[in-house]
Structures are given as C-alpha cells and as structure tokens.
Amino acid sequence: KLIMSMTLTSSSSDSNEIYLAAIEGGGTTFVVSVARVIPSGESTTTDDDNGNKILRIGPKTLQILHTATIPPKNTDTGEILNLNPTQILEETCTFLRLHLPPSGKYSAVGIATFGPAGVDPAQICYGTILSGSPKKEWRNVDLLTPIAQACGLSNDTSKVGFDTDVNAPALAEFRHRSFEQRLYQKINKPLTSLSYITIGTGVGVGLILNSQPIHGLLHPEGGHVAIQPLEGDAFQGYSWGTEKSPYGGVGTVEGVASSVALTERLLQMENVKGGKGGIESSNAQTREILSTLPDTHPVWTHASNAIANLCVSLLLLTSCQKIVLGGGIMKRTILYDMVRKRVWTLLNGYLDSVDELSAVEKLDDVIVESSWEEMGSGLVGAFALALDAHESSNSVEKNDGEKEEENTMRQLTESSGENVIEEKEKRRKDNDDDEGEQQQQSFTSGVLAGIGLSFGCVLLSSLLGQGRRRRGQ
C-alpha cells in the first residue's frame, strides 16, 4: 500500500528538513499539497492521530502535511464553484503562503498541468498554458511566476519543476515501478519505457522512453491521434474540436473517450441538445451524469475502443513495456478488461512473438492501473517533479542517491522479512563471476589466436624462402 497514516517517532532539525509543494493544475480545479521528505533513517509507525499520509515514490518517502482542492466541491450539493484562472491561482498561492516552512520558502515545488503547456525552460513561453489550449480562458496564462513567488522561489526557479499532468505521472510511475522491479523481481529485462494515459475531461499521454521523459518539439499530445471508430458510429466528435483541435475532434481518442465527448454522445443518444445553445457539456456538473450509467451502457464500448486504439498505437510506435491508465473515466473499472480485450483484437496476432503480448491474459501486466489512484496520479507526479528539481538544484551525487536507495531497500526488506538485498548482492556477484569467466575466455581465445597467427607467419616465411632459393637455382 503506497499511502498510509503514520506517526513520527523522531525528527530532524528544521534547517535540515526538506519541504516540497506540489500543484496538479486542471482546467476546472487545482489540487495543491505540501509534504516533508522523511529521511531514510527516520522510523515511523502506521497510526497517526493527525491524519497525515505517507507517500512512497521509488526510494523516497514523503509525509503529506496539507492538501486542498481549489475550488472545493460543496459537500451537500456536490457542485464545484466556477472560478476563473486568476481566482484559482490566487487561492492556490494563498494556500502555499499559509503553509510556508519555517525557512520562509519551500525546498522545491512541482507543477503538473494540463496542456498544451510550455515545458522548455529555454523558451519564453515556459511555465505557461499555450495558445492552442481548447480551454480558452486559460490560454497564455502564466502559472510558474505567481506560484514560484508564493513558494519563496522567485529568485531560484531552478527549484521549480514544470511539466504536463501526464508526463509528470509517467515519471512518477516509472521511478516507482523501476525501484520496485529492482527491489522485488528477479528479471533480466529492466524497465526502460512506460506510457501514462489519463482519460478525463480530456485525454493526455505522457511518455518515458530510454528512461527519460519525452519532450522534443513540445510534449506528447497522444490524446489527439486518430482512431478507427466502431462500425456504424455516426458521432461527429465533441464540441471542443471545432477550434484548434487535430482532425476537428472527429474520430480522435479525446473526441470519443473524454468525459466531454461521452457526455455529448449520451445527450445525442437521448435527443438532448448539448454544447452551444443547449446543455453545457464542458460543465463538471453535467458530466456527473456519466457516473449514473450502468456498465452495460454503449458509451463504455465506444470509450474502450478509443482507448484501445491509442494503446495499440503506443505499442506499435514506442514498444513501451507498460501502459498505465488513469483519470476520472478509468474509475469505471470495467474499462480495464474491455480495453485489454479490444487491444488483443486490434493487434490481430501481429505481436504474438513478444512474450508479454503472446496471450490476452498477459496484457494484465502490460496495461495496468495507476499506483496512486487514491491520491491522484497528477498530484503524485507533481511531487516527483519537485523531488527532481530539489535534487538537481542541489547537485546530489549519484553515489549518495544509490546509498539512500540501498538504505531504503534494506529498511523495506527488514519490515517484509524478505532477504532482497542479499539476493541482489548474490546476483551482482554472479554477474561479476560471469564477466570474469568471459574475460578469461576472451584472454584464452586471444592467446590461441596469437599463437596461430605467429605459426602462420613462420610457415609463410619458410615457404617464401623456399621459393626464392628455387628461383636462384
């Protein structure tokens, strides 16, 4: 279990404490949180009267101190107050200032936001929502500057991590799953690639390839790739696709599987006018109608087909080892099996030679649920960005990081009773022995080759000498 309550039994001095802030930026709400990094040597128990939570991201352990959703949902009516971007940012910054650490600034902050966003620090648009966003009121809004100021980091933005709300969770999932793989599993194929897909108001894709997040020209925008709709599907795409949306939002993953698209499809099926001039499908309260539908409703078949199309595209294009599905739509858990079965059908046996894809049931280990659905992958991703920013800005030595990971592994194995460290060291020794044997074999082969070459040279010289003597006679 990745999130648990806890009690601190020892503490470090304030000067040595690491406090992180994390912001998950959505077009409707922001989730903001503050956490303390727990030193590897600090002991904890699992019952905290203060209700604090423990979050593990790979070898790192965080104590969640404060969390808020802005604007909050009305507990009686379930309604979410509509705030404009300026108001949401003001409330977010007020929360961050309210919980400033004793030093007057956070050690680092991570911002994971919806896109498209400026994620290249070398560009003037860095830290902003770009003009191509379908959420018009957010276009060109600067997130980084006010948040950095509220965190006491205006003069040190290197301690601010900024990325999309899909690349950030992809990074967190990759770090955590790689750590767990090294900790528990005895396999010869390390995790080097992962895709995170969130399906909610929109659809986003985060990619880790060769153990690094993908940015390139911008960042992945896989939610807008074209799909093969189900036969006879007459749905003409969602209303958000009318402006600045690839393919006009028709026949795309987001244009079919997002909550906005699913709501508009449902309204059309029930002959209710949605979008402009009718019920506003982009309103969060309107989209709540999806939660009332049974698992057998046809909208889920269309959603699973669109998501499966995206998964197939990712497998064919990136050959990624894991595809993590998250977001509000995936709370409809029946979709996981529906997506896997549809992926198997669409692949049509093409990748059967890959062991992980050789049977439909094996897709359970390839297309997986988020590790942090309870807390929210976007917020965890923001904490992962903050951790990276803190370590990068403080030039943490690789050996120090390896030592901390080793300590964390040892503590976890002591609590679980598994002798993982010793097994890891044994495998390392076996690898060293194998390398030594290979080197010995290479040396022996080299000596024999050298002897053979020398003998050949002597023989050749003798034959040439005999030939010269014959010519002289």
Side-chain angles (χ1 to χ4, degrees), residues 30-110:
F30 273 34
V31 180
V32 57
S33 186
V34 174
R36 181 180 75 92
V37 177
I38 299 177
S40 57
E42 184 171 310
S43 60
T44 62
T45 57
T46 58
D47 53 344
D48 183 4
D49 294 335
N50 296 321
N52 293 321
K53 302 289 184 182
I54 282 291
L55 168 67
R56 297 192 190 280
I57 307 176
K60 301 295 185 181
T61 305
L62 280 63
Q63 177 193 13
I64 307 299
L65 301 175
H66 311 282
T67 303
T69 299
I70 301 170
K73 180 182 288 189
N74 187 303
T75 55
D76 295 325
T77 65
E79 293 184 356
I80 299 174
L81 181 65
N82 285 323
L83 298 183
N84 62 43
T86 300
Q87 293 171 319
I88 290 177
L89 282 173
E90 286 177 351
E91 292 294 324
T92 299
C93 291
T94 297
F95 176 93
L96 292 168
R97 285 190 290 265
L98 178 64
H99 299 293
L100 275 172
S103 64
K105 63 180 181 180
Y106 293 95
S107 305
V109 58

Side-chain angles (χ1 to χ4, degrees), residues 21-25 55 57-58 109-115 117 119 160-177 194-198 204-208 212-215 218-220 324 370-372 376-389:
I23 299 94
E24 177 190 5
L55 168 67
I57 307 176
V109 58
I111 305 171
T113 178
F114 66 92
V119 296
V160 181
F162 186 88
D163 212 325
T164 65
D165 57 358
V166 279
N167 255 2
L171 177 67
E173 290 279 358
F174 175 77
R175 294 276 166 80
H176 189 74
R177 291 174 186 272
L194 179 145
S195 176
Y196 176 83
I197 304 174
T198 183
V205 177
L207 277 175
I208 304 292
Q212 296 296 325
I214 296 299
H215 289 129
L218 181 61
H219 50 71
V324 183
S370 167
S371 301
W372 300 283
S377 295
L379 186 63
V380 177
F383 273 122
L385 293 176
L387 283 168
D388 270 17

Side-chain angles (χ1 to χ4, degrees), residues 184-227:
Y184 295 114
Q185 299 182 18
K186 303 174 185 177
I187 59 176
N188 297 320
K189 192 174 184 180
L191 184 67
T192 61
S193 57
L194 179 145
S195 176
Y196 176 83
I197 304 174
T198 183
I199 307 101
T201 308
V203 177
V205 177
L207 277 175
I208 304 292
L209 296 179
N210 294 324
S211 304
Q212 296 296 325
I214 296 299
H215 289 129
L217 294 173
L218 181 61
H219 50 71
E221 281 289 351
H224 297 284
V225 300
I227 67 165

Side-chain angles (χ1 to χ4, degrees), residues 229-393:
L230 293 175
E231 186 176 353
D233 185 11
F235 184 64
Q236 291 300 304
Y238 66 160
S239 59
W240 284 12
T242 56
E243 182 185 358
K244 290 193 173 184
S245 185
Y247 307 102
V250 179
T252 66
V253 185
E254 185 171 295
V256 173
S258 67
S259 62
V260 173
L262 291 174
T263 301
E264 292 182 354
R265 178 188 291 274
L266 178 65
L267 295 175
Q268 288 183 20
M269 292 171 69
E270 297 182 353
N271 295 317
V272 177
K273 189 175 181 182
K276 293 181 180 180
I279 296 176
E280 188 56 60
S281 57
S282 61
N283 184 283
Q285 278 72 51
T286 304
R287 298 194 301 272
E288 286 294 321
I289 193 174
L290 296 174
S291 64
T292 67
L293 301 179
D295 287 346
T296 55
H297 197 283
V299 298
W300 306 125
T301 305
H302 290 284
S304 62
N305 175 66
I307 299 166
N309 269 261
L310 176 55
C311 290
V312 168
S313 295
L314 289 169
L315 289 170
L316 294 174
L317 283 171
T318 72
S319 195
C320 57
Q321 295 158 284
K322 294 284 184 186
I323 298 178
V324 183
L325 301 181
I329 292 299
M330 294 311 299
K331 291 180 180 178
R332 179 70 57 155
T333 55
I334 188 66
L335 286 173
Y336 286 97
D337 279 339
M338 293 176 69
V339 168
R340 292 173 187 131
K341 290 175 181 177
R342 185 61 179 161
V343 166
W344 177 255
T345 299
L346 291 172
L347 282 175
N348 197 30
Y350 185 70
L351 298 178
D352 282 3
S353 59
V354 180
D355 180 63
E356 293 87 346
L357 303 174
S358 59
V360 64
E361 59 269 15
K362 289 191 175 184
L363 289 176
D364 290 357
D365 293 326
V366 176
I367 300 173
V368 298
E369 298 181 35
S370 167
S371 301
W372 300 283
E373 200 57 49
E374 180 182 346
M375 175 173 285
S377 295
L379 186 63
V380 177
F383 273 122
L385 293 176
L387 283 168
D388 270 17
H390 173 70
E391 293 183 358
S392 298
S393 64

